[in-house]
Amino acid sequence: MTDAHELRIDRTIDAPPEAVWRAWTEHLEEWFCPRPWRAEIVEQDLRPGGRSAMVMRGPSGEENPIEGIILDVEPGRRIVSTDAFTAGWVPAGPFMVRIDLFEADGGGGTRYTAIARHWTADAAAQHRAMGFEAGWSAATDQLEAVAKRLAAERDGGGA
């Protein structure tokens, strides 16, 4: 694995790790796709070997089904998934392993890192050309908005 195979978003989110984790795990449809796209969650079984399936829907009727499995979950800290397999460990055409990390930043916020690790430099370049930076950054902005709303609701601020 070389750095040429990895793309990442590093962000400090102005919400506590618990709220960011909850936004990621319980509100995926609200933030996963950059608007005007949206995600329809088919299944998100957050345990090793669990199915991860969704359909990304575009504003002109586009549909992009995404299927994979969860490789590892450390509640509150890390989620690792891949499209290299589908449910039941059926091999699929691999594109990447996704790693999402959640860590307290010491000031009440969260250090959030989203990593896409690809099998080849060509796959990473393809993902970059598809708009990785803009798309994953926009999704992270949306994740932060959901997390801030959840934190405010928890603190009695309502939304």
Side-chain angles (χ1 to χ4, degrees):
M1 172 67 64
T2 68
D3 289 343
H5 296 88
E6 184 174 287
L7 304 174
R8 69 172 43 221
I9 300 293
D10 288 299
R11 179 83 56 87
T12 298
I13 293 178
D14 186 21
E18 303 78 26
V20 180
W21 177 263
R22 204 168 136 226
W24 204 108
T25 59
E26 298 175 19
H27 298 266
L28 202 59
E29 288 183 337
E30 292 181 52
W31 68 266
F32 191 80
C33 292
R35 289 182 191 95
W37 284 70
R38 62 183 179 81
E40 176 187 320
I41 305 305
V42 176
E43 185 173 357
Q44 193 69 286
D45 184 359
L46 287 175
R47 63 178 176 82
R51 181 179 184 217
S52 174
M54 68 180 71
V55 179
M56 294 171 54
R57 299 190 187 280
S60 299
E62 306 94 333
E63 290 189 358
N64 182 20
I66 299 172
E67 177 97 18
I69 61 160
I70 304 297
L71 296 172
D72 189 34
V73 176
E74 187 179 340
R77 298 192 40 83
R78 180 178 62 184
I79 300 168
V80 182
S81 60
T82 187
D83 60 356
F85 300 94
T86 59
W89 301 101
V90 177
F95 184 62
M96 71 176 183
V97 171
R98 179 181 177 131
I99 303 166
D100 292 271
L101 304 171
F102 311 80
E103 178 177 0
D105 74 355
T110 303
R111 184 74 183 158
Y112 172 69
T113 305
I115 302 167
R117 289 188 179 153
H118 302 82
W119 268 256
T120 67
D122 287 344
Q126 176 189 1
H127 199 181
R128 185 177 287 111
M130 290 167 51
F132 169 84
E133 182 73 32
W136 283 40
S137 290
T140 301
D141 291 344
Q142 293 168 181
L143 173 65
E144 180 171 24
V146 173
K148 287 170 90 171
R149 185 190 79 225
L150 294 173
E153 289 170 1
R154 183 202 67 200
D155 292 341

